[in-house]
Amino acid sequence: MESPERVRLDAFFRQITTQFPAAEAITTLVVTHLLPERPAFLRAMTSLSTVGAVLPKPRSIHQPTLDAVRRTFPVHDLTRERFTDNTLALEYLEDTAGGRDVVLVDIGGYFAASLDTLVGKFSGRLLGVVEDTENGHQRYAALNSHPCPVVSVARSPLKDCEDHLVGRSIVFSTEALVRARGDILTSRNACVIGFGKIGRAVAQSLRAQDLRVTVYDSDPVRRVQAHALGFRTCTSTAEAVRDAELVLCATGNLALRQGDFAALRNGAYLGSVTSSEDELELGSLHDLYQRTSVSTQLARYEVTGHYFYVLADGGAVNFVHGAAVGAYIHLVQAEILAATAALSRTRFPPGLHEMPAADRDAIARTWLRHFER
């Protein structure tokens, strides 16, 4: 990041943290993509809290950024296994922030499975969780009860701009990986599984690139929405992928399980818009298919009579090229900062919440002052 952009971004975040100050001393554990612009967000978080740990998403780590962040913050490995196991999750929280007031900043619902234990048995106070993604929102929404407030920014209007650009970023990276193999996507049959905000953006971007796009979503309302926008729709995963030369999965909830891969067309390219563990059950294929690395970001899966290609080892395709969405990402980061401050002030009772519209308006006005020109 060039110096003028860094100065402008730091000034933006300073104004956000001034508008939304924390009420008391808190500690944050921050799950994050470690991309080149992320240190500015972490610096802003230090205006609200002590950052007890940075937990980078494993498939979205920019090594120079990681090296820089390690010089300032404790950086710990992030795995679903650690936070799915109640005992391991509690031990980690005690070791990292025992006895303190803590806010968990999440991307992907990592703390959902152990939330009851963390709230009930932690020696400090778990003030709440801030969740960034639709995948994580669904994980927290699926809980029978919420022992603490969970503030989700996943469905915030401020994220719509980012979601649109993420869709374009995914298609850009997909095309780049296919072209690196000497192939092109134009005029191909494509399938998008999942028609939430990201899936819709991906489908629209693919159509703009002259692909023929089929959509499948388990929710019939979303299938109707896709149909109304002119996409072909199907009633099952197998039907949707059967003729597709490119399949992009955007459900955040295991779009393809072991039995689904056999329906893929020979030679199809398969990619995900989120973490591989959340979208593709590739581990179930290890004893069935032979995996061969074609290039750094492309693998061929083959069994007698059937083969297909997996992009980016099943991880989010757009992170191959840094997942750049410009300054719009800072709208969502600002809302995460505001939500963290709100939890420090105990503004929300236990339950799943969104930030008030007035707070979003204030963030949008501040963003426009800094980035509109």
Side-chain angles (χ1 to χ4, degrees):
M1 180 178 289
E2 299 291 338
S3 296
E5 284 75 21
R6 172 173 171 163
V7 169
R8 181 191 302 184
L9 183 53
D10 284 342
F12 168 69
F13 281 138
R14 274 197 304 274
Q15 193 156 352
I16 293 297
T17 55
T18 299
Q19 291 178 72
F20 301 97
E24 54 189 278
I26 62 169
T27 296
T28 48
L29 307 186
V30 184
V31 176
T32 186
H33 303 293
L34 264 190
L35 302 176
E37 40 72 30
R38 209 52 55 109
F41 169 71
L42 293 173
R43 288 194 296 272
M45 189 62 77
T46 63
S47 299
L48 302 176
S49 70
T50 297
V51 177
V54 175
L55 297 141
K57 296 274 285 185
R59 294 181 183 273
S60 53
I61 297 175
H62 178 248
Q63 189 61 46
T65 302
L66 174 61
D67 294 340
V69 168
R70 276 185 169 148
R71 291 193 287 270
T72 306
F73 302 101
V75 177
H76 300 159
D77 292 337
L78 176 66
T79 65
R80 286 228 179 262
E81 292 73 21
R82 168 181 280 168
F83 296 111
T84 301
D85 184 298
N86 290 334
T87 301
L88 292 178
L90 183 60
E91 287 177 354
Y92 174 79
L93 189 58
E94 293 288 2
D95 290 344
T96 308
R100 304 184 213 169
D101 289 345
V102 174
V103 172
L104 304 175
V105 180
D106 203 356
I107 297 181
Y110 280 86
F111 306 108
S114 57
L115 194 59
D116 274 332
T117 297
L118 296 181
V119 172
K121 297 185 177 180
F122 178 47
S123 64
R125 284 195 306 164
L126 184 51
L127 300 177
V129 180
V130 183
E131 171 56 49
D132 181 34
T133 64
E134 177 63 25
N135 171 27
H137 180 105
Q138 293 178 25
R139 289 175 184 270
Y140 287 108
L143 298 177
N144 292 327
S145 62
H146 298 88
C148 67
V150 177
V151 182
S152 172
V153 304
R155 300 178 181 180
S156 167
L158 294 179
K159 203 169 185 183
D160 289 346
C161 304
E162 176 192 347
D163 290 338
H164 169 69
L165 291 170
V166 167
R168 296 180 66 176
S169 174
I170 288 160
V171 173
F172 170 85
S173 292
T174 298
E175 184 172 35
L177 293 179
V178 171
R179 282 184 177 272
R181 189 173 173 266
D183 209 346
I184 62 171
L185 293 178
T186 303
S187 80
R188 298 284 189 92
N189 293 327
C191 168
V192 177
I193 302 178
F195 201 67
K197 290 192 294 182
I198 298 293
R200 178 181 302 204
V202 170
Q204 291 171 330
S205 295
L206 288 171
R207 183 162 60 184
Q209 296 290 96
D210 298 323
L211 282 85
R212 295 180 291 273
V213 183
T214 297
V215 169
Y216 172 70
D217 196 296
S218 60
D219 183 344
V221 173
R222 287 183 174 174
R223 291 206 301 274
V224 168
Q225 293 170 338
H227 193 275
L229 291 173
F231 295 106
R232 178 175 177 263
T233 58
C234 294
T235 57
S236 70
T237 300
E239 181 188 0
V241 306
R242 184 175 56 211
D243 296 322
E245 296 158 277
L246 169 67
V247 178
L248 291 175
C249 300
T251 68
N253 190 26
L254 282 182
L256 296 186
R257 300 175 187 269
Q258 179 178 342
D260 297 320
F261 292 96
L264 291 170
R265 173 175 172 159
N266 270 338
Y269 293 100
L270 173 63
S272 169
V273 310
T274 185
S275 302
S276 58
E277 71 237 34
D278 298 329
E279 204 66 71
L280 304 174
E281 202 172 52
L282 291 174
S284 67
L285 303 183
H286 290 167
D287 295 330
L288 301 174
Y289 284 74
Q290 179 181 350
R291 181 189 181 280
T292 305
S293 179
V294 177
S295 64
T296 305
Q297 300 291 348
L298 189 67
R300 177 184 171 111
Y301 282 73
E302 184 172 13
V303 69
T304 303
H306 189 225
Y307 72 98
F308 58 90
Y309 297 95
V310 175
L311 305 173
D313 205 23
V317 177
N318 53 323
F319 285 113
V320 172
H321 299 102
V325 296
Y328 298 103
I329 185 68
H330 308 314
L331 285 163
V332 182
Q333 292 171 340
E335 190 169 353
I336 291 170
L337 292 167
T340 301
L343 289 172
S344 79
R345 294 174 172 273
T346 61
R347 280 179 57 184
F348 299 102
L352 188 60
H353 302 275
E354 295 185 355
M355 289 295 287
D359 291 347
R360 291 169 176 163
D361 289 348
I363 291 168
R365 284 193 295 270
T366 301
W367 186 94
L368 287 168
R369 284 196 298 271
H370 283 266
F371 298 107
E372 188 175 25
R373 292 187 300 277

